[in-house]
Amino acid sequence: MTSHSHLIEEIFTTLKIKPQNDSFYTGQKSGRSSSAAKLNIHTPIDGSKLAEASMATQEEYQQVISQAHTAFETWKSTPAPQRGEIVRQIGLKLRQYKEPLGKLVSLEMGKIYQEGLGEVQEMIDICDFAVGLSRQLHGFTMKSERPEHRMFEQYHPIGIVGIISAFNFPVAVWAWNAMLAAVCGDVCIWKPSEKTPLTAIACQHIVAEVLAENQLPEGIFNLVIGDRNLGEWMAQDERIPLVSATGSTRMGKEVAKNVAARLGKSLLELGGNNALIITEHANLDLALRATVFGAVGTCGQRCTTTRRLIVHESLLNQVKEILCKVYPQLNIGSPLEEGTLVGPLIDAEAVRSFQKALENVQAEGGKLLTGGEILKEKPLFEQGHYVSPAIVEAENHYSTVQCETFAPILYLISYNGDIQNAIKLQNDVKQGLSSAIFTQNLLQSERFLAEIGSDCGIANVNIGTSGAEIGGAFGGEKETGGGRESGSDAWKIYMRRQTNTINYSQSLPLAQGIKFDLEI
């Protein structure tokens, strides 16, 4: 029995998951897999083993693809509002199971329970958004240059959508993709991170419950558990017209290369190196609250984590003093305990990356102001992966600062003179996901949002870099991949676009006034 065996058993019972000999099948329901390869799943809270999951074989993967293809033939012909009704019911189930699901997210991934609940709420919110979308999915009408012709655009389901998700948001990002794809008439195949498959299995059971209640085929939503090889199978598979991948820039480049080689479509949500600018006109209380949450939330393991704090020189000493007082007071511990603000990193490799980045940046000339310790003083910490969030005074051009370290390290950078100097520092990295400015000066905020301002996909004024709402399109530029998920018109990537022209005249005029006289 592990230290969390009772809790995991309680969660599984509530979610109606029935593990068989601690194993799970890779497809729609639980059961034994023929695969000999097993994946051991540990909690980062104390390193204890939670369960095992079966890894998909190539044969099982082919079966899932076949199941998905068969289901698509039925699903694409189902009226979109009816597809929306299924998603509405999924949202209701998620509401029903919100607390145990949120607890499972915290247990398996390590984010604090409030953030676990927030992630489940994101799934619920995107279900609500998708239900409304199911009665829109609109095209456009254009004026034809030819008399008695009607020209318009419409959107059709694309087919199978492959979803490769990351450990830091083990369920929300899947829902962003899967619920929109579902109302668009697509089916999906989900490869969760091998670090967090239990939350994926739980979601799959919830979806299976809804499909069974509505007598729908299982293959609309599919789950396959595997390692990097499985991701390569999906990226190279011509039967999957769209692959949506969330993860590191390195991983995204491999996915993009494989998908592009077969002229498929990829939706990439990759690394971020997000900056928050504090100008001399900022409300400092608001700015520092946003900074701390953005920098240490999810133990620095969000793609939108605040990694660089660019502060006007007139406020630098004051900001340093306040942050160096606040950071040591952060409550670090089990994410399941009330009052904890910072949980563990995901695994030992993440701790090593944290250590290495701090060593490298100090070798470049950075000054460690606070934090940076590997915590071992409590019994809980001995087998877990706990660190104290660090603040390093540094220069933007340092190679370590230029790279994303998926851990709670905040680089403090000063600027002088005009706001344009701060914006230049912010933009001077290869990533372009999220950005923020704190200022009460209208001219500064407008410059930040103008063509000469932030080059990121997300640009916020007087709120932090993390915590995006589902109503807006989420994604970034440059090495962040250029993809857009969630709200706005992000749904269009899950469909194929078609231009239609109808001639209701008795003649055959050609476009551009071309004359082609032919007697028939």
Side-chain angles (χ1 to χ4, degrees):
M1 297 285 283
T2 70
S3 60
H4 289 97
S5 58
H6 177 73
L7 178 57
I8 197 77
E9 184 177 330
E10 178 185 300
I11 293 171
F12 285 171
T13 300
T14 305
L15 296 173
K16 304 177 185 177
I17 299 173
K18 297 179 181 179
Q20 299 179 5
N21 301 324
D22 292 326
S23 292
F24 298 93
Y25 177 55
T26 55
Q28 191 76 14
K29 298 174 181 176
S30 62
R32 295 294 292 177
S33 168
S34 61
S35 171
K38 303 298 177 187
L39 183 65
N40 291 321
I41 305 153
H42 298 265
T43 174
I45 296 175
D46 62 7
S48 60
K49 182 178 175 180
L50 297 176
E52 291 179 350
S54 299
M55 305 271 273
T57 62
Q58 176 68 246
E59 180 183 358
E60 288 167 336
Y61 170 73
Q62 297 298 337
Q63 290 172 357
V64 171
I65 286 282
S66 177
Q67 177 176 270
H69 179 74
T70 300
F72 175 61
E73 294 305 310
T74 300
W75 189 241
K76 70 180 180 181
S77 300
T78 303
Q82 291 182 26
R83 300 193 295 249
E85 168 59 19
I86 300 304
V87 170
R88 186 187 71 84
Q89 292 179 34
I90 292 172
L92 292 177
K93 292 282 187 187
L94 292 173
R95 284 177 170 86
Q96 179 183 341
Y97 296 125
K98 180 177 177 178
E99 290 188 11
L101 262 182
K103 198 168 289 185
L104 183 57
V105 169
S106 295
L107 182 62
E108 187 176 34
M109 185 270 150
K111 63 177 61 176
I112 64 173
Y113 180 48
Q114 283 300 312
E115 289 189 273
L117 291 174
E119 181 160 355
V120 180
Q121 187 62 48
E122 276 198 64
M123 292 199 289
I124 294 168
D125 291 345
I126 201 67
C127 285
D128 289 349
F129 179 88
V131 172
L133 180 64
S134 70
R135 290 186 179 270
Q136 297 180 50
L137 300 176
H138 49 75
F140 301 93
T141 300
M142 293 78 71
K143 293 299 182 183
S144 173
E145 67 182 65
R146 291 169 284 190
E148 297 185 294
H149 281 61
R150 181 164 67 91
M151 188 163 60
F152 62 97
E153 290 180 347
Q154 60 179 335
Y155 291 83
H156 298 295
I158 198 171
I160 300 174
V161 174
I163 303 170
I164 301 173
S165 62
F167 75 87
N168 60 326
F169 280 87
V171 291
V173 174
W174 161 75
W176 288 1
N177 286 272
M179 298 308 137
L180 294 193
V183 297
C184 288
D186 301 324
V187 299
C188 62
I189 297 176
W190 180 16
K191 178 206 171 296
S193 168
E194 54 266 43
K195 298 177 182 180
T196 52
L198 295 183
T199 44
I201 290 166
C203 289
Q204 190 70 8
H205 275 256
I206 290 170
V207 166
E209 206 174 298
V210 173
L211 296 180
E213 289 170 358
N214 288 271
Q215 300 179 328
L216 286 167
E218 293 182 344
I220 297 170
F221 297 92
N222 302 274
L223 174 66
V224 187
I225 296 171
D227 55 16
R228 177 176 177 172
N229 291 329
L230 174 57
E232 291 180 357
W233 297 346
M234 293 171 67
Q236 295 170 3
D237 198 326
E238 294 182 353
R239 296 166 294 181
I240 303 179
L242 171 65
V243 176
S244 174
T246 303
S248 68
T249 297
R250 178 198 56 76
M251 179 275 290
K253 287 180 177 180
E254 286 298 310
V255 170
K257 180 177 68 175
N258 286 323
V259 175
R262 58 179 177 84
L263 298 181
K265 294 168 64 177
S266 57
L267 194 171
L268 302 174
E269 296 290 356
L270 312 177
N273 196 350
N274 316 295
L276 187 153
I277 298 171
I278 299 180
T279 81
E280 69 274 30
H281 300 292
N283 179 324
L284 202 54
D285 179 65
L286 291 182
L288 293 180
R289 287 175 183 273
T291 297
V292 175
F293 173 73
V296 308
T298 322
C299 200
Q301 298 170 115
R302 289 176 174 230
C303 51
T304 54
T305 289
T306 305
R307 307 209 178 275
R308 296 175 296 138
L309 184 62
I310 302 172
V311 182
H312 191 270
E313 61 181 358
S314 65
L315 295 173
L316 183 65
N317 289 334
Q318 187 178 358
V319 166
K320 271 199 287 190
E321 181 182 350
I322 295 172
L323 289 179
C324 287
K325 181 180 178 181
V326 169
Y327 261 53
Q329 299 175 18
L330 293 170
N331 190 356
I332 304 170
S334 169
L336 294 173
E337 290 183 5
E338 189 175 350
T340 297
L341 295 178
V342 183
L345 287 168
I346 187 66
D347 55 22
E349 180 59 36
V351 174
R352 286 191 289 271
S353 295
F354 175 77
Q355 288 179 295
K356 188 66 174 174
L358 289 176
E359 290 171 6
N360 290 344
V361 75
Q362 289 179 86
E364 291 180 273
K367 181 182 178 182
L368 179 64
L369 300 178
T370 187
E373 297 93 2
I374 311 304
L375 302 180
K376 293 294 182 184
E377 68 271 19
K378 296 181 182 179
L380 175 70
F381 294 167
E382 291 179 4
Q383 299 301 318
H385 309 294
Y386 295 86
V387 300
S388 59
I391 300 175
V392 179
E393 192 167 4
E395 298 290 338
N396 197 67
H397 66 267
Y398 291 171
S399 60
T400 309
V401 177
Q402 290 284 309
C403 297
E404 178 188 45
T405 301
F406 224 54
I409 302 175
L410 179 66
Y411 299 114
L412 181 59
I413 301 162
S414 68
Y415 79 96
N416 55 30
D418 188 74
I419 184 60
Q420 214 60 40
N421 295 331
I423 294 172
K424 185 177 185 301
L425 286 170
Q426 182 215 272
N427 292 345
D428 193 20
V429 292
K430 292 183 178 180
Q431 309 84 359
L433 178 53
S434 187
S435 58
I437 188 171
F438 275 79
T439 180
Q440 301 294 303
N441 184 299
L442 177 64
L443 299 183
Q444 288 182 333
S445 63
E446 288 298 322
R447 276 192 173 189
F448 180 73
L449 300 176
E451 294 85 350
I452 57 173
S454 170
D455 65 0
C456 296
I458 299 169
N460 296 329
V461 176
N462 293 330
I463 60 171
T465 61
S466 62
E469 298 181 29
I470 62 95
F474 180 90
E477 301 301 323
K478 301 189 290 189
E479 285 197 354
T480 301
R484 293 296 185 275
E485 294 174 327
S486 193
S488 186
D489 65 348
W491 61 270
K492 291 180 179 178
I493 197 168
Y494 305 98
M495 306 195 83
R496 59 181 178 88
R497 187 172 184 165
Q498 185 181 78
T499 300
N500 306 113
T501 306
I502 300 172
N503 177 6
Y504 56 93
S505 74
Q506 297 301 313
S507 60
L508 193 64
L510 301 177
Q512 292 83 49
I514 294 173
K515 301 296 183 181
F516 189 79
D517 296 324
L518 177 68
E519 294 292 334
I520 299 294

